[in-house]
């Protein structure tokens, strides 16, 4: 079996430390050393043409750039990327392509600048491809979900110490394949998309976990990655739900400890490990839902 | 005193309900009715030219659009806006200007599409104006901070029931002037900027509160609004801190109950109400910091 080794672009390894120590005054007026998350500007250039600037912790910038290009529909295949060179001195990521992705400026130029969480013109261009997505149909057991939440809790612990921001994970069954945190959860998603592309992972056997809310953009990206189950510690928005319904994505939110809520794809879940119901429904508040 | 009434653009009143009821299955396999946050696409047109699409809860869309235009530097004065008409049927906000803001397409066209939290080309154009900002110099007492946190806790309670997303508030002393939540905290900031512009509020006597993290974009926006104190329930990033230091913004994070950390502007705080120190420093963990 003289298999050709899988293609890999040439990439720098310019990952940064996750956290920095600073001094702050606490409520006693006393100095305390605390850890804070790094945040750096990284401007992406494609064949020397400026694309945009991301704000990132910069831990895995090459995979972030790769996944960003994929999730935005700028590239479709790994072979289109020859090199990704990240230089923090100039806050730049230089991408050299094989010359096959001309026309991206015109396609992206249709709309303009956007900002922060939940504001995205990305949305419009993503929707073009969204309705073509076909997700695999699986059944999941409650005991698998609990096993996975246990595995994730260990990761969350590590990352919380390093200065918690937003975390996302690629999982298979109860195993956590990769866990990424960044100052924006979209960066974390994009980094994992880059990892999938590099390693040739297909989404259909995977589960996507996020600490963040299930907004439309999050649901669309995960569906684009071909992953049929999306699990979150947080809640969802109305449009996140609509998108999940439209594409048949199984969506579980408020997943923490023994609690969770199945927002979409209820038929995909086998309730094989119901916990003791310590909080009868009538007594529950809905304070933290949404 | 025959003062001319202050100028107001003509604006629709197309605010939407905050939450929607849906059914989800809980971990018992039982149906539960829960509240989820609305999320709608809203495309802004300036004099019939498309600017971009925001994802928003849509509670105060006219103020959101106004504040967005201001924070992006597209408008500078309220008088430049004649009407803002929001029509949810077509998911559009039509802005008619006085014709004085030509050239915005060229200015914004320099860069391209961006996405989700923490990713923003906004950053570059904001920095142009950032270094010119002069913030007022104030001193704040610990007792005022505690009084304000008490006032905010009541607001948080209301909003948490309605489906918690990200919240931001404009405050004066211990009083909460306005509290906004949206699917993205940048929308909440922009809505408050719109309110300030409409009501002629200047930032120097105000305090800005957010439930979210103090990233660079958040710090830059609040400084642009002329507000000298930024208070958050969450932590900060390295670049958020750098921006605050650069412009002399007093920044307090991890503010909850009797705890807080002064990240920048330590000299501005008078410690007049130190709580009993129940957790000696040596025993503290830094798990939730950053």
């Amino acid at each position: 079996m003289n298999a050709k080794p899988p293609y890999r672009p040439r990439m720098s390894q310019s990952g940064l430390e996750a956290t920095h120590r600073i001094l702050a005054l606490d409520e006693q007026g006393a100095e305390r050393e605390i850890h804070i998350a790094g945040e750096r500007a990284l401007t992406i250039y494609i064949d020397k043409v400026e694309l945009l600037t991301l704000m990132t912790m910069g831990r895995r910038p090459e995979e972030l750039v790769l996944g960003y290009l994929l999730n935005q529909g700028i590239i479709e295949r790994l072979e289109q990327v020859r090199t990704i060179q990240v230089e923090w001195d100039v806050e730049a990521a230089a991408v050299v392509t094989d010359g096959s992705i001309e026309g991206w400026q015109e396609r992206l130029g249709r709309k303009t600048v956007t900002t922060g969480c939940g504001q995205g013109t990305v949305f419009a261009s993503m929707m073009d491809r969204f309705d073509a997505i076909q997700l695999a149909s699986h059944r999941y057991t409650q005991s698998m979900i609990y096993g996975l939440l246990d595995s994730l809790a260990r990761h969350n612990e590590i990352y919380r110490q390093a200065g918690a921001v937003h975390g996302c994970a690629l999982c298979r069954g109860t195993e956590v394949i990769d866990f990424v945190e960044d100052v924006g959860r979209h960066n974390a998603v994009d980094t994992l998309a880059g990892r999938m592309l590099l390693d040739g992972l297909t989404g259909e056997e995977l589960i996507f976990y996020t600490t963040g809310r299930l907004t439309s953009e999050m649901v669309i990206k995960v569906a684009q990655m071909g992953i049929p189950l999306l699990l979150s510690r947080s809640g969802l928005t109305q449009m996140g739900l609509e998108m999940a319904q439209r594409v048949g994505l199984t969506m579980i939110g408020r997943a923490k400890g023994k609690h969770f809520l199945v927002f979409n794809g209820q038929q995909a879940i086998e309730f094989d490990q119901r916990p003791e119901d310590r909080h009868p429904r009538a007594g529950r508040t809905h304070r933290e839902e949404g």
Side-chain angles (χ1 to χ4, degrees), chain A:
Chain A
M1 297 289 283
N2 252 329
K4 205 171 135 193
Y7 175 78
R8 288 227 155 195
R10 274 194 301 128
M11 302 197 300
S12 57
Q13 292 194 308
S14 305
L16 299 173
E17 288 295 309
T19 62
H20 302 261
R21 285 156 191 267
I22 63 158
L23 292 175
L25 285 191
D26 68 12
E27 67 276 0
Q28 302 296 333
E31 271 199 344
R32 282 220 272 150
E33 190 184 77
I34 63 162
H35 295 79
I36 64 171
E39 184 190 11
R40 296 289 296 269
L42 182 65
T43 302
I44 303 176
Y45 295 84
I46 302 184
D47 297 326
K48 298 190 178 165
V49 179
E50 183 176 341
L51 174 62
L52 91 166
T53 302
L54 305 178
M55 305 305 300
T56 175
M57 284 178 73
R59 299 206 70 192
R60 289 159 62 177
E62 296 84 5
E63 285 163 285
L64 167 61
V65 169
L66 188 64
Y68 182 82
L69 297 181
L70 181 70
N71 278 343
Q72 296 301 314
I74 296 171
I75 62 167
E76 287 172 358
R77 291 168 295 111
L78 190 58
E79 290 73 15
Q80 294 177 291
V81 177
R82 294 229 167 110
T83 64
I84 301 176
Q85 191 72 30
V86 172
E87 302 268 10
W88 290 112
D89 290 350
V90 289
E91 297 185 335
V95 179
V96 177
T97 75
D98 66 354
S100 68
I101 60 158
E102 285 168 11
W104 59 267
Q105 285 169 278
E106 290 69 31
R107 266 183 292 139
L108 293 182
R110 287 186 308 176
K111 300 211 179 178
T112 35
V113 176
T114 175
T115 184
C117 316
Q119 296 184 339
T121 62
V122 180
F123 187 71
S125 66
M126 280 178 168
M127 289 307 293
D128 299 347
R129 291 172 287 153
F130 187 71
D131 286 320
I133 295 171
Q134 295 212 322
L135 294 176
S137 178
H138 287 295
R139 275 183 72 80
Y140 304 96
T141 62
Q142 188 166 21
S143 47
M144 183 279 288
I145 295 165
Y146 286 155
L148 177 55
L149 289 174
D150 281 348
S151 307
L152 285 161
R154 286 191 286 277
H155 282 268
N156 280 331
E157 183 65 25
I158 294 165
Y159 281 79
R160 215 175 286 137
Q161 288 177 338
V165 278
H166 275 298
C168 291
L170 284 182
C171 315
R172 189 187 287 120
T174 60
E175 173 205 4
V176 179
I177 299 174
D178 200 350
F179 193 105
V180 177
E181 283 205 334
D182 207 324
V183 287
R185 70 213 152 90
H186 283 281
N187 286 346
V189 183
D190 289 345
T191 303
L192 291 174
R195 163 77 189 269
M196 284 174 68
L197 187 63
L198 274 177
D199 288 358
L201 296 171
T202 54
E204 64 180 72
E205 299 295 331
L206 301 182
I207 298 164
F208 197 93
Y209 172 79
T210 173
T211 59
R213 292 160 300 134
L214 303 172
T215 57
S216 56
E217 281 189 280
M218 182 60 68
V219 171
I220 290 170
K221 281 193 180 180
V222 169
Q224 263 181 202
M225 290 155 77
I227 299 177
L229 176 58
L230 174 52
L231 187 66
S232 170
R233 197 167 63 192
S234 304
L236 83 170
T237 67
Q238 177 195 15
M239 197 176 282
L241 180 60
E242 277 175 28
M243 293 296 134
Q245 289 168 340
R246 199 155 149 182
V247 79
L249 181 74
T250 301
M251 198 155 77
I252 300 177
R254 296 285 169 207
K256 210 176 170 182
K258 293 293 179 204
H259 293 300
F260 61 79
L261 290 170
V262 188
F263 295 133
N264 193 53
Q266 282 83 351
Q267 74 287 349
I269 310 300
E270 185 187 330
F271 290 88
D272 66 341
Q273 195 188 334
R274 299 183 197 209
E276 268 183 63
D277 192 0
R278 297 185 189 181
H279 309 277
R281 286 177 67 195
R284 276 199 187 151
T285 70
H286 297 283
R287 279 182 38 180
E288 287 197 289
E289 286 159 5

